[in-house]
Amino acid sequence: MFKTNEERRRARFWQRLFTGAESADRLRFLTLNNSDESIVLGIDILKSFSKLVKRIRRKYGEFEYFGVVACDEDEPLREHIHVICKGKFMPQLELEDMWIGVHRSIKPYIEAVDDVDAAARYIGSYLNMQSYRVRKYIMSAGWVFPGWVSWSKWFKRHYGVYPDQKYPGILVKLARMSERVRDEIIIPELMKMEGL
């Protein structure tokens, strides 16, 4: 059982990170940095990231992500964002142009992810690094299926455990289904099986 709020926060972090990552067909690792210019101008990296996400979605469609906003303890203004993202392929040069356009910063780093577990552990390692401070973790609404959090909490209230504890892998399977199949067929059937 979790003893502190920090332990609960970390458990939620890992559950959401792996559930979303394991449900993706293709993942990429993306790092976005501050530049001296963006720091001097006081441009907020999270606001710039939000603009970048909107531009990517307008041009390429789906773009879901999970990551951390962190900085080195010695340089608190030099924040950077590390995310695992899912969606369509984006040419590196277009991504660079978009990031420079919204944040006046240096080139972003993007790479295909072959080992989902290793990439997820890398993102999670920022929670444990002593030399880094994590301002927050960030997750798009579509990283896990819509309603995932409230459904998981509802399941926990009724059964005393989270869905993945009772049915290992169920959240990943639900995330891979279409919303219609999940909401109209699978979840009602699951509830019927449980007598609810």
Side-chain angles (χ1 to χ4, degrees):
M1 206 68 198
F2 302 115
K3 295 180 173 72
T4 67
N5 285 338
E6 179 63 20
E7 288 173 324
R8 280 192 285 280
R9 186 177 74 86
R10 286 174 187 258
R12 283 191 308 269
F13 174 91
W14 287 109
Q15 179 67 28
R16 292 172 185 179
L17 173 57
F18 277 103
T19 298
E22 290 172 357
S23 68
D25 294 328
R26 174 189 295 162
L27 288 172
R28 286 182 304 281
F29 185 73
L30 175 64
T31 300
L32 302 165
N33 295 298
N34 266 329
S35 64
D36 292 340
E37 184 180 3
S38 62
I39 291 171
V40 168
L41 293 172
I43 302 172
D44 183 88
I45 196 166
L46 270 175
K47 287 181 181 174
S48 295
F49 180 66
S50 178
K51 289 177 186 175
L52 177 69
V53 168
K54 288 174 186 169
R55 289 182 184 190
I56 290 171
R57 287 180 176 158
R58 266 195 307 272
K59 186 155 186 159
Y60 297 102
E62 179 194 15
F63 180 79
E64 305 302 340
Y65 58 88
F66 188 99
V68 294
V69 180
C71 66
D72 191 310
E73 286 289 341
D74 299 335
E75 297 184 82
L77 295 177
R78 195 166 294 281
E79 289 185 317
H80 48 278
I81 296 175
H82 295 285
V83 295
I84 295 177
C85 52
K86 50 188 175 182
K88 293 180 181 173
F89 172 79
M90 296 174 286
Q92 174 78 29
L93 290 176
E94 286 187 34
L95 182 64
E96 287 175 12
D97 288 344
M98 284 187 222
W99 184 241
I100 291 168
V102 298
H103 197 65
R104 295 185 181 186
S105 195
I106 56 179
K107 296 178 180 179
Y109 172 77
I110 190 165
E111 175 184 8
V113 172
D114 295 322
D115 184 349
V116 173
D117 289 346
R121 281 193 302 277
Y122 179 78
I123 294 286
S125 70
Y126 277 87
L127 293 180
N128 299 320
M129 287 184 184
Q130 298 302 315
S131 62
Y132 278 89
R133 180 180 61 82
V134 173
R135 174 161 52 134
K136 67 186 301 184
Y137 73 84
I138 54 177
M139 176 179 79
S140 64
W143 180 252
V144 291
F145 67 85
W148 177 80
V149 174
S150 59
W151 186 74
S152 292
K153 287 178 181 178
W154 172 87
F155 197 94
K156 168 101 166 118
R157 279 193 309 275
H158 284 78
Y159 299 108
V161 294
Y162 286 104
D164 234 30
Q165 293 169 305
K166 186 166 177 124
Y167 301 107
I170 188 71
L171 295 174
V172 171
K173 290 174 186 161
L174 289 170
R176 286 185 174 157
M177 294 175 187
S178 73
E179 186 176 356
R180 188 192 70 76
V181 169
R182 183 179 57 246
D183 293 346
E184 294 176 13
I185 300 169
I186 302 300
I187 292 178
E189 279 300 314
L190 186 61
M191 293 168 75
K192 198 184 305 178
M193 280 175 22
E194 296 297 329
L196 298 171

